Amino acid sequence: MHDTPQQQSSDALQATLENFRSRIQAASAQRTPLQIRGAGTKDWYGQTLQGELLDTRAYRGIVDYEPTELVITARCGTPLAEIDAALAQHNQMLAWEPPRFGGISTVGGMVAAGLSGPARQSAGSVRDFVLGAVLMDAQGQVLHFGGQVMKNVAGYDVSRLLTASLGTLGLILEVSLKVLPRPFASNTRVFEVDQENAIRLLNEWGGQPLPLTASAWVNNVLTIRLAGAQAAVDSAIRKLGGSELSNGDDFWRDLREQTHAFFAQPEQALWRLSLPSTTPALGLPGRQLIEWGGAQRWLRPDDGSHGDAVAIRAAAIQAGGHASLHRGGDKSIGVFHPLQPAVERIHRRLKAEFDPAGIFNPGRMYAGL
């Protein structure tokens, strides 16, 4: 009597889990670091990688998908392309437009990195769509957090805490995500306008009932995306004007994947500033690209180095935000914005609670974490 393919698959998944558990337990006992990684599309993100590779891609597959409930649950090693294909059959999508960086990014890496694309300003971030998570901790225990419904967030919401933790708290095994229907209509408009007026317009439009789902300003051109019901899009076009960009989908894809010309030469420093959307134009030397209605500012320093990190971070603080060295440059200055003492204590307590031996992606975010 032979096992069915389903049984063989289940056996293989269980063997993968046991392999994860034994490696994690051994690493904890010996206090040796593990580098948790899916497809490796974001190896450049964060501080320098450390430890022996623990590849998550063998633990893959969609666990459950309920189109009528707008919820999908998948294992960590599942490629986003597989998620996209399943959602497309029901005209649904990952609303925050996570970057794919080559199309092979995994679900676990998407949640661990916490990066969102152009629709962040209208839909929210990946954290807003994480309903539940399954985590393997430093003892090899499998822990369940959250659920598969939006209201299941009572108490300490660990499933969302794991978002953007860069794998420093444990091995994310599985996540449940809220998905949304695709808009019926979409239209991309362009306007020739300087930076100050672009910021003003974006904030004016952001306070109106317009179906504005994405925006980008670069090289004195403001590009916006209107998406939703056809009548709402048509009405917004009549009100705002502008010229239609015929290859709008390509533009937003290039922006999401950071293959737009502004992001060329990835080895050079690229700063990401998160600021209040109303922040006036920053007088920092270098080229800038503005997204998310003015709330996200990308900066390419003029000299090709990492620029004046102190001045860049000071400008962000003065505006009420923070700055990170997103890609390239000299990581010795610290990739992420320095933590305030009180916040750093919280980070260290969380790390000590989840990963007392310090084995999971140590130092990927901050030294000693």
Side-chain angles (χ1 to χ4, degrees):
M1 186 174 181
H2 299 287
D3 289 339
T4 65
Q6 290 83 358
Q7 288 171 325
Q8 292 171 344
S9 177
S10 177
D11 290 344
L13 289 170
Q14 189 58 40
T16 298
L17 271 184
E18 291 305 320
N19 177 57
F20 288 164
R21 179 178 287 111
S22 63
R23 292 189 61 190
I24 287 172
Q25 289 174 336
S28 289
Q30 300 167 15
R31 293 185 174 270
T32 55
L34 287 174
Q35 179 193 145
I36 300 174
R37 193 185 76 181
T41 58
K42 293 175 282 294
D43 280 355
W44 48 266
Y45 187 53
Q47 300 289 161
T48 304
L49 297 168
Q50 300 181 49
E52 182 181 349
L53 176 63
L54 194 159
D55 192 323
T56 67
R57 287 175 292 177
Y59 197 66
R60 63 183 287 176
I62 296 173
V63 178
D64 188 36
Y65 175 34
E66 292 293 340
T68 58
E69 299 294 333
L70 299 173
V71 175
I72 192 167
T73 301
R75 300 183 184 95
C76 57
T78 310
L80 290 186
E82 187 174 326
I83 302 295
D84 290 335
L87 296 179
Q89 293 180 24
H90 298 275
N91 201 34
Q92 295 177 355
M93 64 178 183
L94 300 176
W96 62 96
E97 295 185 290
R100 272 65 169 175
F101 297 125
I104 58 174
S105 296
T106 61
V107 168
M110 172 191 71
V111 173
L115 299 176
S116 301
R120 167 68 177 86
Q121 76 176 84
S122 58
S125 70
V126 56
R127 180 178 283 109
D128 300 313
F129 290 84
V130 174
L131 302 178
V134 179
L135 180 77
M136 184 172 284
D137 69 7
Q139 286 74 49
Q141 301 177 100
V142 176
L143 309 175
H144 296 254
F145 302 101
Q148 294 186 343
V149 292
M150 289 298 287
K151 65 183 179 181
N152 195 353
V153 293
Y156 200 53
D157 198 353
V158 174
S159 57
R160 296 187 183 184
L161 176 69
L162 297 174
T163 307
S165 65
L166 283 178
T168 59
L169 299 178
L171 171 57
I172 299 172
L173 293 175
E174 187 179 297
V175 291
S176 294
L177 301 163
K178 184 77 172 178
V179 300
L180 291 180
R182 291 185 177 277
F184 286 102
S186 178
N187 191 286
T188 296
R189 316 296 294 179
V190 294
F191 306 80
E192 291 189 11
V193 61
D194 62 23
Q195 184 178 169
E196 289 187 4
N197 281 302
I199 294 170
R200 177 183 59 79
L201 286 172
L202 288 171
N203 280 279
E204 286 180 4
W205 295 341
Q208 299 176 29
L210 296 167
L212 201 165
T213 63
S215 62
W217 175 90
V218 64
N219 296 330
N220 286 328
V221 175
L222 173 61
T223 307
I224 65 170
R225 182 176 61 198
L226 303 168
Q230 186 68 62
V233 171
D234 290 344
S235 175
I237 292 172
R238 289 193 296 269
K239 181 174 183 177
L240 302 180
S243 303
E244 182 176 2
L245 183 64
S246 59
N247 62 335
D249 289 346
D250 294 339
F251 175 86
W252 299 113
R253 181 202 61 221
D254 291 346
L255 195 63
R256 181 193 75 196
E257 299 301 315
Q258 296 189 353
T259 54
H260 183 281
F262 177 85
F263 298 102
Q265 299 176 303
E267 71 283 354
Q268 293 186 2
L270 173 66
W271 285 87
R272 174 179 176 265
L273 284 73
S274 180
L275 307 171
S277 64
T278 55
T279 303
L282 298 174
L284 295 170
R287 295 179 293 121
Q288 294 188 39
L289 186 151
I290 300 175
E291 282 193 271
W292 301 357
Q296 179 162 267
R297 316 280 176 100
W298 297 102
L299 173 67
R300 285 284 200 191
D302 280 331
D303 59 6
S305 71
H306 58 67
D308 188 340
V310 173
I312 293 169
R313 286 183 164 141
I317 292 172
Q318 185 175 10
H322 56 83
S324 300
L325 182 58
H326 182 76
R327 193 167 190 167
D330 181 5
K331 292 187 176 184
S332 68
I333 64 173
V335 168
F336 297 107
H337 200 94
L339 298 172
Q340 293 295 317
V343 178
E344 182 177 354
R345 286 194 293 272
I346 293 173
H347 274 252
R348 294 192 180 279
R349 288 173 62 185
L350 286 169
K351 180 69 171 177
E353 186 69 27
F354 281 89
D355 182 20
I359 64 167
F360 293 123
N361 284 2
R364 184 78 186 270
M365 296 181 72
Y366 295 98
L369 290 174

